[in-house]
Amino acid sequence: MRLVNAGHILKKARKEGYGIGQFNINNLEWTRAILEVAQEKQSPVILGVSEGAAKYMTGFKTVVGMVENMIEALDITVPVAIHLDHGSYEGAKNAIAAGFSSVMFDGSHYDIKENLQKTTEIVDYAHMYGISVEAEVGSIGGEEDGVTGTGEVADPEECRQIAALGVDFLAAGIGNIHGPYPEDWKGLDMGVLKEVGETTDRIPLVLHGGTGIPDDQVSEAVSYGVSKINVNTEKQLVFTQAIRDYIEAGKDKESKGFDPRKILKPGVEAIKDVVREKMDLFGSTNKA
Ligand code: G3H
Ligand code: ZN
């Protein structure tokens, strides 16, 4: 199965009223775990790669090569997209050149005029190669691999303008945050989400900061047009905790317990459980 344009699978999800997970990767073990669960769940899947994660894995081409060869080696038949997460202008172009099947150009830190201009250029360039494009309006709070935002809520009119450029899906800041959420978090601004859904000609919407959003708000957001939900921090937390537990239980002292494949395994299994749960919650199970 070749890599797919994320716009195609998200449009189907938007039409049929379910969400698809974007699960960020940063190494071989995570990538394999997510692909195996997607196949097991018969769910389409979007592998999110930030520029920082791509650098850590030695570059966009390494990531594409790893994913494409894993798809073949693991006999993955469900739709898989590799998506640049929170891409810069240059990063988006380089990811496309390296073989990514989808890119986010995160122009939310520019003023709307420059965001419109740069987004237009990326859309034209990406669509020349059949690659899908995600844009962002408003900003997602918190920090994700060096990309920070204050979490201001998107202006539906600005969302309409960006959507009109032909982007394939749109991340509108609605009070969502990357990473842990504050105790006094007010929840998602469903009013703005509904308005954005109505003013952007029903293009698939994206919910960043999936880790800390309560399940009922995720499901409600899907009903208002969210078709991609991004999850990263939760996987980092369970991965690390599972390995810490393994070592604190002294398992690394058992015969060959110090083998890195054995030490990472509890973390990998913990991530698989998160991915299974999210695919069921988002409604993408058996939608391949
Ligand atoms: O871009 C990636 C996602 O927005 C991750 O958000 O780490 O809060 O799950 P999260
Ligand atoms: Zn994000």
Side-chain angles (χ1 to χ4, degrees):
M1 178 88 178
R2 286 186 59 253
L3 292 173
V4 300
N5 168 307
H8 297 163
I9 55 176
L10 289 174
K11 283 189 180 69
K12 180 174 178 290
R14 176 79 169 87
K15 197 158 145 263
E16 298 176 17
Y18 60 88
I20 296 175
Q22 171 191 306
F23 300 102
N24 288 60
I25 58 172
N26 51 50
N27 63 28
L28 179 146
E29 287 78 9
W30 282 40
T31 308
R32 177 175 184 165
I34 295 161
L35 288 175
E36 286 177 338
V37 171
Q39 187 65 22
E40 171 198 314
K41 285 285 191 183
Q42 283 297 291
S43 165
V45 68
I46 297 170
L47 300 175
V49 184
S50 68
E51 292 191 29
K55 200 159 161 244
Y56 174 82
M57 292 188 274
T58 75
F60 291 130
K61 286 172 80 174
T62 308
V63 174
V64 173
M66 174 178 69
V67 172
E68 286 187 332
N69 286 296
M70 265 193 202
I71 286 172
E72 190 184 329
L74 297 172
D75 199 12
I76 302 294
T77 57
V78 297
V80 177
I82 307 183
H83 178 70
L84 174 67
D85 193 26
H86 292 288
S88 62
Y89 181 78
E90 283 313 316
K93 289 196 160 183
N94 294 336
I96 291 167
F100 275 49
S101 60
S102 185
V103 294
M104 173 181 190
F105 167 57
D106 183 349
S108 57
H109 51 288
Y110 295 110
D111 64 40
I112 184 65
K113 191 163 166 282
E114 193 163 1
N115 191 356
L116 285 165
Q117 173 56 39
K118 287 190 164 14
T119 301
T120 302
E121 289 169 29
I122 295 293
V123 167
D124 293 348
Y125 185 73
H127 286 180
M128 248 178 356
Y129 296 95
I131 306 299
S132 47
V133 178
E134 173 185 352
E136 178 174 320
V137 180
S139 79
I140 315 301
E143 185 267 341
E144 169 77 22
D145 239 342
V147 175
T148 54
T150 53
E152 81 258 13
V153 173
D155 170 355
E157 171 50 22
E158 288 186 7
C159 293
R160 189 195 59 73
Q161 291 172 33
I162 290 274
L165 301 178
V167 298
D168 299 284
F169 38 103
L170 177 68
I174 51 171
N176 38 333
I177 297 171
H178 284 131
Y181 280 65
E183 283 298 305
D184 61 348
W185 181 59
K186 293 202 303 301
L188 294 178
D189 189 327
M190 297 295 182
V192 168
L193 176 60
K194 270 194 271 186
E195 205 181 331
V196 170
E198 284 147 16
T199 56
T200 52
D201 196 20
R202 295 181 61 81
I203 67 165
L205 301 176
V206 182
L207 193 57
H208 284 247
T211 287
I213 300 173
D215 290 358
D216 62 322
Q217 290 193 43
V218 170
S219 303
E220 188 179 353
V222 169
S223 72
Y224 296 144
V226 163
S227 313
K228 172 161 89 77
I229 304 98
N230 296 2
V231 180
N232 191 25
T233 304
E234 185 170 350
K235 306 197 317 290
Q236 293 171 329
L237 292 170
V238 299
F239 180 76
T240 315
Q241 190 56 52
I243 293 169
R244 188 177 293 122
D245 293 348
Y246 175 89
I247 292 175
E248 282 170 4
K251 295 225 167 46
D252 57 319
K253 302 282 183 298
E254 293 167 7
S255 74
K256 295 295 271 180
F258 49 83
D259 176 336
R261 293 167 294 182
K262 287 205 171 151
I263 290 179
L264 293 179
K265 191 162 170 49
V268 168
E269 290 309 316
I271 287 179
K272 285 186 155 187
D273 288 343
V274 167
V275 175
R276 285 187 188 98
E277 191 191 296
K278 297 297 180 189
M279 287 178 171
D280 290 344
L281 170 66
F282 301 159
S284 66
T285 299
N286 294 323
K287 293 288 196 310

